Amino acid sequence: MANPLQFMQQVRTEVGKVVWPTRREVFLTTIMVLAMATLTAIFFFLVDLLIRQGLQMTLGMFN
């Protein structure tokens, strides 16, 4: 079992090695995520619309 003080020193050392993103990188990544989420939502909306229309046409033939 490691000494708690030694553990905290190791944690500080590892956190110091982390390369934090810049404000610009965070902003651009956020915009990209929002854009991809929007495109995905539009895609699934259109697929759902096509499936719904197909089912309505198919079921309409039997009525």
Side-chain angles (χ1 to χ4, degrees), residues 3-63:
N3 180 354
L5 183 60
Q6 182 183 9
F7 173 75
M8 290 303 294
Q9 289 172 343
Q10 291 174 353
V11 168
R12 284 187 94 158
T13 301
E14 291 301 318
V15 169
K17 295 178 185 178
V18 173
V19 178
W20 299 101
T22 64
R23 183 178 297 264
R24 178 173 166 75
E25 289 172 334
V26 171
F27 177 75
L28 290 175
T29 304
T30 302
I31 296 300
M32 289 172 57
V33 167
L34 291 174
M36 291 305 295
T38 302
L39 289 174
T40 303
I42 292 169
F43 170 76
F44 283 115
F45 172 76
L46 293 174
V47 168
D48 180 59
L49 189 64
L50 289 172
I51 292 171
R52 187 180 334 138
Q53 291 295 330
L55 282 173
Q56 285 177 348
M57 286 177 45
T58 303
L59 294 174
M61 290 178 7
F62 296 110
N63 285 338

